[in-house]
Amino acid sequence: MVQHPRPGTPPSVSGDAQGASPSGSGGDAAASSNPSGAASSEATSTEAAQPGATQTGTTASPDSSEATYELTKTYTDPDGLFTVKYPESWKAQENRGYLELSNPDGKVKGNVASTATRAPRGEWFTRPIHPLIGDETELSKQLREKVSTYSTYVPAPPRSDKADSVLWGLTEGDKRGIVSIPGGGKRNELWAEFYYSPVNEGHRPLPQREGVELVNQINQTEDAGTVDAILKSIRVGG
């Protein structure tokens, strides 16, 4: 695959703390983790051209990264709360109202959902702690609230067979990993998480500085560029 330069690569950071924790956790980077959002065996493929399904995109993109990473398919939330674009080569499944995506080799897996269909808690959500903040997205204009991409290192849970990972997502200015969206006359929220795993296999959790270095290294890959473009493609409806 041709390696494209990644638009909006997060700046190299070497001093700040780096990590993430499950929702509601106050743990530090070395002790907090969340399993990868792997697709459930109950998931069903979505191919019909209607809300809650994937479609071929035809509208010119305001973000050149959509063309660079060939985001030619579009998913529309069943309630019209959001849309997201992704490459045709990626696997897309709808599981109980939220979207699961995975790249061709299965190393990157992600979820995009509204809190109305999947509450961000437990193993379904990772609250970023001291994330590396990337680029501001078009959602900022829609919501009149700054929304940016982020990336962070997530160590595996203690005594677990899961591996460490790098996590990408969206966050408002408060850096909680959640984005408030309009819809239905009530408060709704959006969360998007993409895991790159395994990393740092067979080793102890990385200290802060090495975790940041690992994230910056992974952020230079083709997979990271594709996820960055997917996150920036997300728009809210209504």
Side-chain angles (χ1 to χ4, degrees), residues 34-40 43 75 82 84 90-103 108-114 117-121 123-126 150 167-170 177 190-196 227 230-231 234:
N34 189 64
S36 173
S40 166
Y75 171 85
F82 67 88
V84 58
W90 281 45
K91 181 179 180 181
Q93 294 183 310
E94 182 186 1
N95 191 341
R96 300 175 184 173
Y98 66 95
L99 179 67
E100 296 178 333
L101 291 171
S102 58
N103 73 336
V108 178
K109 296 181 175 68
N111 298 318
V112 184
S114 70
T117 58
R118 175 60 68 183
R121 59 174 179 260
E123 295 186 351
W124 291 105
F125 176 70
T126 301
Y150 73 82
L167 170 67
W168 298 289
L170 292 175
L190 172 76
W191 59 275
E193 295 188 338
F194 287 82
Y195 286 91
Y196 181 102
V227 171
I230 291 172
L231 291 170
I234 295 175

Side-chain angles (χ1 to χ4, degrees), residues 8-102:
T9 299
S12 177
V13 180
S14 60
D16 283 345
Q18 172 72 22
S21 70
S23 177
S25 170
D28 61 23
S32 58
S33 61
N34 189 64
S36 173
S40 166
S41 60
E42 298 176 358
T44 56
S45 178
T46 56
E47 295 296 337
Q50 58 186 8
T54 57
Q55 307 169 44
T56 299
T58 56
T59 304
S61 169
D63 187 342
S64 62
S65 65
E66 292 184 15
T68 300
Y69 293 100
E70 301 178 346
L71 308 190
T72 58
K73 305 287 284 185
T74 299
Y75 171 85
T76 301
D77 171 70
D79 297 321
L81 295 177
F82 67 88
T83 62
V84 58
K85 297 181 180 180
Y86 60 92
E88 186 173 8
S89 61
W90 281 45
K91 181 179 180 181
Q93 294 183 310
E94 182 186 1
N95 191 341
R96 300 175 184 173
Y98 66 95
L99 179 67
E100 296 178 333
L101 291 171
S102 58

